């Protein structure tokens, strides 16, 4: 430690398609909120109509801002990298989080595709260690990359002896 | 160790506690033959060590049952749980009709039947490689735990168990992703059989490990004995043969007898050459006493506040008596008179009296609880590589921790206890839960005691002695300073003025928010004004708390341990073995980033699963992580002077070239 070392960001970004995946997923959430508000407006009848319309408009503005800003920002800050020795990720923008685990301590490597992720041909990878505090998640990868990560990590994790605790 | 001896087992290398449906063909077939063996091979008593071995069958092959005495225990337990309802029915009279009670009696009978069925459907066996438990009536399960995954064994006897000579065995496997840590429970066995099982599970497996594993790097006195008995190479059957158990038991008995005296620190003694002659593959057990309860420690009990739980228990009992038993408490004359007297006296006197009564009650209950839990507390180290805790006045408890799995210790000082210079010692190990209920969780290594005593013991546990475990060699390239600061008492690196400011911002900020909220409420919602004034008066205490929280913050790194301390209301100092760290998380919130701070979490399979070094400078956090697991971070580090590297476009996963370390 001659100079003060800092962590560089991991090398890889997730798939660009993930931007659309996150947008659609967030939009579905906002649709539920908006639908609830519409029901409330219709069901409750006349009084306070102005208030309700304002609330709905506010929701729409918030949703639009969220849908435009969030996915792009997330795409910029979510990064990952694997080497034969380690898995390394960086995520979050309000609360940044770096996670590093040695490959020799990996217990399982899971890849998962939700229905929406399948639509966008995406997958996520979860790397768990023996610690409940240590799972590393990489979301929004394209399918081939995810498969390759799983393959590589499984191979190198199996090469190490011991029970990884 | 033939695989044929365990059909229905799982391939070694699969998950430690695999649940196999009983309907699987292999398991079903095995089940059928297994039942037959039980009918012929099980002695009904089961209280003799190795009872399953009767008739010349190796115990490993036999499906054993829990003790038949459980058939008495279970109905009794159900009855005790139903005491409020029964009291209501038979003694105090009832405001409800009779049919309600008939229903609850029916429920009782059902519970008893279920308990009895539970006994009939549960069997277990210990093979050379696995611990297997079969259970379930409609959904048959076989829980299989590889024996090399057994980390801890916990033997508990409640009062009824003790009267009947029974003990419950809980086998901890250190799985963190399963409820209860993947523990296997056997409730209950004969107490001798339980003790025997504990020896069998934890001590025996060390023999093969010591012969072949990397842990014999430094030849301790025990190693030659192992080599003499086992032979490192071609005779694995000798290691695994379970029939030798009776001989070993006698040897153990004498060891325990001789070590019970006050002689401390004799563990480095004559383990060599005392191999029992009956062909046993184990060195004779040497037992060293590390700690024993001193009666004057009971003085620390009132400061533990554990008695508050008792208040809850009493309140719960009364409310159940009122609800389930249908007892109208106000109809009891004495209670009603007391209440009327209490409401009659002036409010300030009543409040003061209530507080005093509460404090006295909690103090007395805490003391009682301390005595009940820790009477006869004894911590011993066995030459087989385990720590052994026995304690309890009415409910006895014996916990065995494999020292190889002990990843460190935690010195815990709740504020009140700290005020009287007391502390507790908790093990950081896989297989035992830590945190809330650590006292019940069995990871306690020393009950509340003088802090000097706790630190002395902690150092002794962390310092491997000749007969104990062999330390994992420190990470390469780190020369050991012989007079290195102890991880337990050594000075810590403070976290600096930014962390201090953050402590104050958080404590005072939170308090100010509460004051503002209460003020707003009293302004607009009409809550009484004294609420926000009281919150305002709390401000100096918040400041004190912040200062103390900062004073607690600290960390350091020794050759073998990462040490971190935090907290004020409960200050904890953890020494975590660096070899037990299995990853790093660095988090930085928006506010931390502005203050140049970060929180480093060392993840581990032991204890709390992750230990935090809070609010250190970012560069310090990275420095600790880089030094803690040498080489892990190297490819990801850049010198601070260079501009932050811009990320590349997504490229194929092929690993980038690492700079030579």
């Amino acid at each position: 430690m001659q100079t003060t070392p800092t962590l560089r960001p991991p090398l890889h970004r997730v798939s660009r398609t993930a931007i659309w995946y996150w947008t659609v997923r967030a939009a579905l959430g906002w649709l539920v909120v908006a639908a609830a508000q519409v029901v409330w407006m219709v069901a409750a009848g006349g009084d306070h109509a102005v208030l309700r319309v304002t609330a709905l408009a506010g929701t729409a503005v918030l949703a639009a801002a969220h849908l435009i800003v969030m996915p792009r920002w997330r795409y910029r800050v979510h990064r990952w990298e694997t080497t034969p020795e380690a898995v390394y990720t960086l995520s979050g923008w309000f609360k940044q989080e770096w996670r590093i685990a040695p490959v020799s301590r990996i217990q399982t490597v899971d890849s998962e595709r939700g229905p929406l992720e399948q639509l966008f041909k995406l997958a996520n990878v979860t790397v768990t260690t023996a610690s409940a505090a240590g799972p590393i998640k990489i979301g929004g990868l394209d399918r081939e990359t995810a498969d390759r990560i799983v393959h590589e990590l499984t191979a190198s994790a199996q090469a190490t002896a011991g029970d990884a605790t | 160790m033939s695989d044929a001896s365990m059909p229905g087992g799982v391939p070694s290398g699969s998950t430690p506690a695999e649940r196999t449906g009983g309907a699987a063909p292999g398991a079903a077939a095995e089940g059928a033959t297994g039942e037959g063996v039980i009918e012929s091979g099980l002695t009904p008593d089961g209280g003799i060590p190795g009872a399953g071995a009767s008739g010349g069958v190796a115990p490993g092959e036999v499906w054993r049952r829990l003790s038949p005495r459980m058939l008495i225990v279970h109905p009794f337990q159900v009855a005790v749980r139903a005491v409020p309802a029964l009291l209501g029915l038979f003694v105090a009279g009832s405001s409800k009709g009779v049919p309600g009670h008939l229903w609850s009696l029916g429920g009782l009978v059902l519970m008893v039947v279920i308990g009895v069925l539970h006994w009939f459907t549960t069997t277990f066996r210990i093979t050379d490689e696995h611990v297997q438990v079969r259970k379930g009536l409609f959904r048959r399960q076989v829980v299989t735990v590889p024996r090399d995954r057994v980390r801890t064994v916990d033997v508990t006897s409640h009062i009824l168990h003790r009267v009947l000579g029974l003990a419950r065995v809980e086998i901890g496997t250190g799985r963190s992703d399963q409820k209860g840590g993947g523990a296997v429970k056997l409730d209950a066995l004969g107490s001798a059989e339980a003790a025997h099982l504990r020896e069998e599970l934890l001590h025996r497996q060390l023999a093969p490990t010591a012969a072949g594993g990397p842990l014999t790097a430094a030849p301790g006195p025990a190693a030659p004995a192992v080599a003499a008995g086992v032979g490192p190479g071609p005779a694995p059957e000798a290691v695994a043969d379970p029939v030798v158990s009776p001989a070993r038991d006698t040897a153990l008995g004498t060891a325990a007898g001789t070590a019970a005296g006050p002689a401390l620190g004799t563990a480095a003694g004559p383990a060599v050459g005392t191999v029992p002659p009956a062909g046993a593959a184990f060195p004779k057990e040497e037992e060293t006493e590390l700690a024993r309860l001193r009666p004057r420690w009971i003085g620390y009990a009132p400061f533990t506040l554990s008695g508050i739980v008792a208040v809850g228990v009493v309140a719960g009992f009364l409310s159940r008596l009122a609800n389930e038993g249908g007892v109208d408490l106000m109809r009891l004359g004495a209670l009603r008179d007391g209440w009327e007297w209490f409401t009659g006296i002036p409010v300030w006197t009543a409040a003061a009296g209530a507080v005093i009564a509460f404090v006295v009650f909690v103090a007395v209950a805490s003391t009682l609880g301390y005595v009940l839990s820790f009477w006869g507390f004894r911590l011993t180290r066995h030459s087989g590589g385990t720590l052994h805790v026995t304690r309890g006045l009415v409910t006895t408890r014996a916990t065995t921790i494999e020292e190889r799995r002990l990843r460190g210790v935690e010195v815990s000082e709740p504020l009140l206890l700290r005020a009287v210079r007391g502390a507790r010692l908790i093990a950081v190990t896989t297989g035992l839960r830590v945190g809330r209920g650590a006292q019940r969780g069995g990871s306690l290594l020393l009950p509340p005691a003088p802090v000097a005593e706790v630190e002395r013991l902690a150092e002794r546990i962390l310092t491997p002695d000749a007969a104990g475990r062999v330390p994992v060699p420190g990470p390469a390239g780190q020369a050991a300073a012989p007079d290195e600061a102890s991880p337990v008492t050594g000075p810590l690196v403070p976290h600096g003025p930014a962390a201090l400011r953050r402590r104050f911002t958080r404590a005072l900020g939170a308090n100010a928010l509460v004051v503002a909220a209460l003020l707003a409420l009293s302004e607009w919602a009409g809550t009484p004004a004294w609420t926000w004034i009281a919150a305002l008066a709390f401000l100096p205490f918040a400041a004190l708390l912040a200062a103390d929280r900062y004073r607690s913050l600290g960390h350091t790194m020794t050759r073998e341990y990462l040490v971190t301390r935090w907290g004020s209301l409960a200050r904890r100092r953890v020494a975590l073995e660096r070899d037990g760290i299995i990853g790093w998380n660095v988090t930085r919130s928006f506010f931390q980033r502005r203050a140049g701070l970060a929180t480093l979490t060392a993840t581990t399979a032991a204890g709390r699963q992750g230990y935090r070094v809070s609010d250190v400078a970012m560069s310090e956090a990275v420095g600790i992580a880089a030094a803690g697991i040498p080489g892990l971070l190297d490819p990801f580090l850049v010198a601070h002077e260079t501009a932050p590297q811009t990320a590349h476009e997504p490229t194929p996963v092929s690993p980038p070239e690492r700079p030579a370390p």
Side-chain angles (χ1 to χ4, degrees), chain B residues 18 22 125 163 226 257 280 351 381 394 451 460 484 558 607 610 620 632:
Chain B
E18 190 148 311
R125 69 174 180 181
V163 168
V226 174
R381 169 182 268 159
V394 177
V451 70
R460 212 148 162 227
E484 193 185 44
T558 70
E620 176 76 4
L632 177 67

Side-chain angles (χ1 to χ4, degrees), chain B residues 379 381 387 401 403 406-412 424-429 434 443-446 454-455 457-463 469 486-489 561-564 566 572-577 606 608 611:
Chain B
L379 172 68
R381 169 182 268 159
L387 290 176
I401 300 170
E403 275 197 88
L406 187 74
R407 291 309 195 177
V409 291
E410 172 180 323
V411 177
S412 149
R424 300 184 302 160
L425 189 67
I426 297 170
V428 175
T429 180
V434 181
S443 53
L444 197 79
L445 290 178
L446 198 66
V454 169
E455 285 171 348
L457 176 64
E459 266 175 36
R460 212 148 162 227
I461 289 171
L462 295 187
T463 318
R469 66 184 178 152
S486 138
V488 184
T489 54
Y561 292 94
L562 170 69
V563 184
T564 172
W566 75 96
R572 300 169 193 283
R573 175 174 176 143
V574 172
L576 178 66
E577 201 173 36
R608 297 174 194 274
Y611 289 92

